[in-house]
Amino acid sequence: MDDIHVPTVPSGDVSGRATANEALMEKLSLGDILAEKDRVENELVTLSDVLDSHGVNMNTSLTTIDGYPRDDLDIAQIRITRARIIRLRNDYKSIMSRIETGLHAHHAAITGTLSTTQAPHIPQASPTGAQDNTTDPDIIETPFAKVNSVVDGSPADEAGLKAGDGIRRFGSINWVNHERLSNVAELVYQSEGRTILVKVSRKDVELELKLTPRRDWGGRGMLGCHLIPA
């Protein structure tokens, strides 16, 4: 019997398709690549929602204890969705590599232009001591997501989340590494029954809430809330 856990992917020369995709990426401008990154991130979030609607994740077993396909799941849809997620994750790695290369080239070009048009400049300390540092906690904990809605009686509701809250930190996920919320979805899947510390901004108040994802609360998904990019 075929392993139904293995995502279905088209047969053929996979390396050839990868080479073709890389050749296409070479022709795109940095702006086009950034737009493609956003598109892939949005599709990954949508596909994660599809798995969530079936009550499964990338690792959920699709068979019963005796090895038969579960009749409570749309196995074909789940396998197709998983296969698409795997392919998009591979595409995403390639995109991020191209973005890194493009940013380095762009920075080098700007640096070269400035060095030929401006006299050497010695940076002066800011009167306030402020620094441009992406490791600054104030920058890292900039709200990266917004709570769009919360279902009554859900884990999100019990944790105290409310519509309009700005998510500053979700467990280990923050403004720097949320990847258009796809990492939030992954963390939720991996944390069923375990408490996640969530830092939120509500008007002028900053709160720390404890959220425990679970499936048995009687509604869709494990949180019972809808998050959107900030």
Side-chain angles (χ1 to χ4, degrees):
M1 178 184 294
D2 292 338
D3 185 353
I4 66 172
H5 298 292
V6 178
T8 303
V9 294
S11 59
D13 184 359
V14 177
S15 62
R17 287 197 299 271
T19 302
N21 287 338
E22 291 174 1
L24 179 60
M25 293 292 291
E26 291 286 347
K27 298 178 181 179
L28 297 178
S29 67
L30 180 58
D32 290 335
I33 296 174
L34 289 171
E36 179 65 7
K37 168 181 171 291
D38 289 342
R39 186 196 68 76
V40 170
E41 288 174 342
N42 287 332
E43 187 173 351
L44 281 170
V45 171
T46 300
L47 292 171
S48 293
D49 287 342
V50 171
L51 292 183
D52 194 21
S53 70
H54 288 282
V56 302
N57 56 41
M58 293 294 288
N59 301 312
T60 301
S61 174
L62 304 183
T63 59
T64 62
I65 296 177
D66 9 356
Y68 291 97
R70 290 174 54 180
D71 57 10
D72 62 323
L73 296 176
D74 185 345
I75 293 178
Q77 179 64 56
I78 293 170
R79 292 181 68 189
I80 291 172
T81 303
R82 285 177 171 178
R84 181 62 179 165
I85 288 175
I86 291 171
R87 181 169 297 171
L88 285 176
R89 284 176 175 175
N90 290 333
D91 289 347
Y92 191 78
K93 291 178 182 178
S94 176
I95 289 171
M96 294 306 295
S97 176
R98 289 292 304 153
I99 289 176
E100 182 179 4
T101 300
L103 288 176
H104 282 309
H106 182 66
H107 177 72
I110 291 177
T111 302
T113 301
L114 291 176
S115 65
T116 58
T117 58
Q118 295 181 353
H121 172 68
I122 300 176
Q124 300 295 322
S126 167
T128 60
Q131 297 179 349
D132 182 13
N133 189 347
T134 56
T135 61
D136 188 321
D138 290 337
I139 296 177
I140 290 178
E141 296 199 349
T142 298
F144 64 88
K146 179 181 177 182
V147 180
N148 191 42
S149 61
V150 178
V151 179
D152 291 341
S154 66
D157 182 40
E158 293 174 354
L161 280 174
K162 297 185 181 299
D165 284 352
I167 305 296
R168 298 164 46 231
R169 181 177 287 272
F170 194 98
S172 60
I173 311 302
N174 55 46
W175 178 79
V176 175
N177 63 2
H178 67 90
E179 302 296 357
R180 296 288 293 180
L181 306 188
S182 62
N183 283 343
V184 172
E186 287 293 329
L187 179 60
V188 170
Y189 288 141
Q190 297 169 10
S191 304
E192 182 175 4
R194 292 184 291 179
T195 299
I196 300 174
L197 180 65
V198 181
K199 294 185 179 182
V200 306
S201 295
R202 184 177 299 163
K203 296 183 179 179
D204 296 327
V205 180
E206 296 181 353
L207 304 171
E208 291 190 0
L209 308 177
K210 294 182 178 180
L211 174 61
T212 304
R214 55 189 177 86
R215 301 181 189 276
D216 60 354
W217 65 274
R220 175 182 173 182
M222 290 194 288
L223 297 184
C225 68
H226 181 218
L227 301 182
I228 58 176

